[in-house]
Amino acid sequence: MPPRASIAHSLLDTISALISLLALDRLPRTGWLLAGIDDPETIAGHIVSTAHVVLALGPNVDPALDVDRALALAVVHDSPEAWTGDLPKQVSEGLPPGAKQALEARVADTLLSGLSTTARERHAEYAAGETRESRFVRVCDKLQLGVQLLAYERAGLGDLDDFVETLRSLDCSEFTPAVAFQTNLLAALEECE
Amino acid sequence: MPPRASIAHSLLDTISALISLLALDRLPRTGWLLAGIDDPETIAGHIVSTAHVVLALGPNVDPALDVDRALALAVVHDSPEAWTGDLPKQVSEGLPPGAKQALEARVADTLLSGLSTTARERHAEYAAGETRESRFVRVCDKLQLGVQLLAYERAGLGDLDDFVETLRSLDCSEFTPAVAFQTNLLAALEECE
Amino acid sequence: MPPRASIAHSLLDTISALISLLALDRLPRTGWLLAGIDDPETIAGHIVSTAHVVLALGPNVDPALDVDRALALAVVHDSPEAWTGDLPKQVSEGLPPGAKQALEARVADTLLSGLSTTARERHAEYAAGETRESRFVRVCDKLQLGVQLLAYERAGLGDLDDFVETLRSLDCSEFTPAVAFQTNLLAALEECE
Amino acid sequence: MPPRASIAHSLLDTISALISLLALDRLPRTGWLLAGIDDPETIAGHIVSTAHVVLALGPNVDPALDVDRALALAVVHDSPEAWTGDLPKQVSEGLPPGAKQALEARVADTLLSGLSTTARERHAEYAAGETRESRFVRVCDKLQLGVQLLAYERAGLGDLDDFVETLRSLDCSEFTPAVAFQTNLLAALEECE
Amino acid sequence: MPPRASIAHSLLDTISALISLLALDRLPRTGWLLAGIDDPETIAGHIVSTAHVVLALGPNVDPALDVDRALALAVVHDSPEAWTGDLPKQVSEGLPPGAKQALEARVADTLLSGLSTTARERHAEYAAGETRESRFVRVCDKLQLGVQLLAYERAGLGDLDDFVETLRSLDCSEFTPAVAFQTNLLAALEECE
Amino acid sequence: MPPRASIAHSLLDTISALISLLALDRLPRTGWLLAGIDDPETIAGHIVSTAHVVLALGPNVDPALDVDRALALAVVHDSPEAWTGDLPKQVSEGLPPGAKQALEARVADTLLSGLSTTARERHAEYAAGETRESRFVRVCDKLQLGVQLLAYERAGLGDLDDFVETLRSLDCSEFTPAVAFQTNLLAALEECE
């Protein structure tokens, strides 16, 4: 009897991909770095925290989301950055349309396919943004920026007005609990000033 | 009309819990530290990597697992360590039976309930170890130790024989793809010597 | 002729304990971490600074203290944290009465007895808090929190009001020079606002 | 009635000295750095570990030492390095005779006198090396190098043969327990090869 | 009277560029990271060390080079990485031909033009590789990899065979002193095994 | 036919010097450290940034400077600190007149002569301060302090008034573009308050 899923990769590829992905624990979120936070959140830290935001808001979304699948999307959403690093908007805004997505897809083809076709599919679903779960995780990705921003502002790390603006201009209207969360984050940020 | 899930916590509690959980990105995995790895993997890095192991092996388990729910368990499995830190076996083995679990449950009651009842339930499922998904994630938690171990051994960071023993003595027999993965990790480790 | 002190441990145990204790140089003081200081003081840094506070205030205490023995207490007061880490008050306040002390005593039995019976005795004296020297070092332990707090506040690292409250509510009345020092720290902290 | 010890310094000087001394927690031991250990032991970590070596060996020295005063010497022995950093032998060996000691004495006059005359006296006793306690702490300072060396060798961090030579050529003959400890460290180091 | 060079940028742009470029001190060289060196050399460290290699070999090149201009090329050669990070070969080899160069040129247009037209010109000269000085700095950029590699191998940080291969296959034949240096580095690396 | 420049050193000395100089990437700028910036700019980061300031201002100086040679001076100006560390003004102001310069010259004789006579000459030119290029680089060295200061102030890292004073009292009058830059930095710093 064949295995449940076709194995398009050897375990050596799997091990190699898993070891490459460990770099997520060392690579900085560059937006904070360029704003003067010298030892910022790592990409791994951002992924875990985004998953926590999904867990906080997802169960209250109406109509109900598949929260567990949303978590799977959160887990893989920035995996290609193990190789590309976190390209800041100073770079990504200057790239030709679609270039960053094409780069990430090319990396995902190696790194995530090295794990499993499921891993590759979850990233593709996130990248396409066509399912409600994928759009929800994109919103949570931005709201997580608000969580870390609030932590930095409370710690007195300051020149972060652009990030407040990014959070303020985020359109969460598809997901009611996200709107309430955004409002509360912005209110908490105002208390820091 | 009431919200889909009863909200047992205010958003302030949610924000507070999310900010506490950011500490996972800064806290070291103490087993490596006590073995002389001075700047080891963080707990957040371990969580992300464990989720990647779940993604690598889960789709091939027969009969099929709910891989997405397993990922949810992986995401929360060490969340209480944001407050307790990663207690090394030198400490946990000396505690009265059940003491570490009781401590984690108490912390989970605050930290994870601060996110959502779903988050609290996923951690409780992991802690109980009664579902196949929870037992699978426990195996992946240990196999991730093998992934990081291999990375350290390849990098020449050496006095880690106890960890090889831990990996060798791991019983993965409930999940066939985990057995194959364990075998391959051990073979790759032998090549490092 | 027998050695001066009975040697209840081999030198291998001593070497092993000394190597475990090196972890103090890597482990963070978690209270600062949870308050948003991302790369905080280590436990070793706290121990050295507490000893410096003892050296600053101890010689002026009336009636005279045994300052050198107080320094010995300061040197060992947090040694068990090499294994337990620095459990933050979010955890220790939730433990059953005496549980944290019992945990530390159990670790001290291995780690400090591994050094010498003198080391174990000095920690026991600190933990019991029955001698004036031990109570003085406990006060200095808290005043050191004030020193680091002042350094953080001057550096603009900010959301630390709870720590100011902790310092303000500290009862130093048994040791006159400590009261004066506390007053000056609080005055210096007010200048930061 | 006058205070027990004349206060030659204001509390502001004390606070200022204590804050300067916090730098010990951030400054690297440069010998390791120049040998390729990129994130080495800090000076604070070295001070705590030296005090632990004193606690391990001091109680067994015959005739008996004042172990507590030896600990006081250990606590202050490298305090001036908060300002000078840890000058490596590449520099100190090239300085005119006595120049390093003169530099440290000058810094101690400000930094340690800022704490108390007792602190200044303890450093002067260590620097003079005329008492048995001070000579014992000097031996422990070198033996601590052996402890950290063993930890690095066990962790596979390797190009440290010069340090093994330094440890081997150390004359501990005044203190019998130190000789036994040195022998055991060297034996443990040989096992790493 | 007009300034010597037309100022195509305000001083605000200059300050902004200089602050962005500070990120070079925080960003890792990703090749080392993916090879398991968890806290590797920064890009700033690489730039300084490359300049040192230029200073070591440049004066001996025959016919004579303009060593100072070569240093200017070394100083700017990786400046765009303040925004892009150090894209590892896993990424750059998968990009369309010229894509990485185009990205760097686009970033240099903002970041280096923000300093001066001279800065922009020096980077363009390096990128074009048409002058002897620019080709020499390219060789030194690779030889610096050999210097850091030797430091890692001596420190026992090991799984770096690919890097040895990169160094071995480097064609330095245009610059005689570089050939000798390459030979010596490879000989020193062999001694580490 | 003899080589262009007499080679007073073997390549082994060169390699040894290059590896020692890698420490610049790890050593902190101590002024920031003592002002409470716990993970400050490295010396390598400062060197690169000083070179960038030279590139920003040098081309506009009238009469024209040799900007490339000025960059060479910037590259070597703090090289001896690989061994001495960055001695803070608390130490250097207490040294006998000329002592710091003599120390640096002695280290430069080994470290920089290990690279090439050109490297040694460039440092000697900087240290003497007799050429316009060397005086310009000294000014840029101080202006770089202003750049990093502005980055810290914008990031909310605050108790840095002494550094603002240092910048304000800097005499840049020999180099007109430096005066304009200083003025703009001070204006930007005022906006942070």
Side-chain angles (χ1 to χ4, degrees), chain E residues 88-164:
Chain E
K89 68 175 183 202
Q90 285 88 333
V91 171
S92 58
E93 290 177 354
L95 290 173
K100 194 184 173 195
Q101 289 73 7
L103 175 61
E104 288 182 353
R106 197 179 298 119
V107 172
D109 281 343
T110 306
L111 263 183
L112 290 177
S113 301
L115 299 184
S116 64
T117 46
T118 305
R120 184 70 191 86
E121 286 166 6
R122 291 293 180 271
H123 188 268
E125 180 182 343
Y126 176 78
E130 290 173 1
T131 61
R132 284 180 72 236
E133 279 76 11
S134 63
R135 287 195 302 274
F136 177 66
V137 175
R138 286 167 171 228
V139 164
C140 291
D141 170 65
K142 296 298 183 195
L143 290 172
Q144 193 280 331
L145 180 144
V147 171
Q148 182 63 70
L149 173 61
L150 180 59
Y152 285 143
E153 290 276 9
R154 285 189 176 169
L157 294 165
D159 185 35
L160 304 171
D161 292 352
D162 288 357
F163 293 84
V164 179

Side-chain angles (χ1 to χ4, degrees), chain A residues 5-182:
Chain A
S6 69
I7 306 186
H9 56 277
S10 76
L11 279 178
L12 283 186
D13 284 350
T14 304
I15 289 173
S16 175
L18 287 167
I19 286 182
S20 276
L21 288 162
L22 292 175
L24 296 169
D25 191 29
R26 300 288 160 170
L27 288 163
R29 292 263 291 169
T30 55
W32 303 123
L33 200 66
L34 289 168
I37 310 286
D38 277 333
D39 181 22
E41 190 187 29
T42 66
I43 302 174
H46 163 69
I47 290 171
V48 169
S49 183
T50 301
H52 286 143
V53 174
V54 169
L55 271 167
L57 306 182
N60 296 318
V61 170
D62 186 25
L65 291 170
D66 182 340
V67 174
D68 290 332
R69 204 175 82 244
L71 283 170
L73 303 181
V75 161
V76 298
H77 84 289
D78 277 343
S79 294
E81 297 187 2
W83 280 359
T84 65
D86 172 30
L87 290 174
K89 67 175 185 204
Q90 285 88 335
V91 172
S92 57
E93 289 177 354
L95 291 172
K100 193 184 174 194
Q101 289 74 7
L103 175 61
E104 288 182 353
R106 196 178 300 119
V107 173
D109 281 343
T110 306
L111 263 184
L112 290 178
S113 301
L115 299 185
S116 64
T117 45
T118 306
R120 183 70 191 85
E121 286 166 7
R122 292 291 180 273
H123 188 268
E125 180 181 343
Y126 175 78
E130 289 172 1
T131 61
R132 285 180 71 235
E133 279 76 10
S134 64
R135 287 194 302 273
F136 177 66
V137 175
R138 287 169 169 225
V139 163
C140 290
D141 170 66
K142 295 297 183 196
L143 290 172
Q144 193 280 331
L145 180 143
V147 171
Q148 182 63 71
L149 172 63
L150 179 58
Y152 284 142
E153 291 275 8
R154 284 188 177 170
L157 295 165
D159 185 35
L160 303 170
D161 292 352
D162 288 357
F163 294 83
V164 178
E165 231 22 70
T166 300
L167 181 62
R168 198 187 309 279
S169 64
L170 179 66
D171 178 5
C172 302
S173 56
E174 188 179 351
F175 306 103
T176 312
V179 174
F181 188 71
Q182 177 190 32

Side-chain angles (χ1 to χ4, degrees), chain B residues 46-152:
Chain B
H46 163 69
I47 291 171
V48 168
S49 183
T50 300
H52 287 142
V53 175
V54 169
L55 272 167
L57 306 181
N60 296 318
V61 171
D62 186 25
L65 290 170
D66 182 340
V67 174
D68 289 332
R69 203 173 85 244
L71 283 170
L73 302 181
V75 161
V76 298
H77 84 288
D78 277 343
S79 294
E81 296 187 3
W83 280 358
T84 65
D86 173 28
L87 290 174
K89 68 175 185 202
Q90 285 89 334
V91 171
S92 57
E93 290 176 355
L95 290 173
K100 195 184 173 195
Q101 289 72 7
L103 174 61
E104 288 182 354
R106 197 178 298 119
V107 173
D109 281 343
T110 305
L111 262 185
L112 291 178
S113 301
L115 298 185
S116 64
T117 46
T118 305
R120 184 69 192 86
E121 286 166 6
R122 291 292 180 272
H123 188 268
E125 180 181 343
Y126 176 78
E130 290 173 0
T131 61
R132 285 180 71 235
E133 280 76 10
S134 64
R135 287 194 302 273
F136 177 67
V137 175
R138 286 168 171 226
V139 165
C140 292
D141 170 65
K142 296 297 183 196
L143 290 172
Q144 193 279 332
L145 180 143
V147 171
Q148 182 63 70
L149 172 62
L150 180 59
Y152 285 142

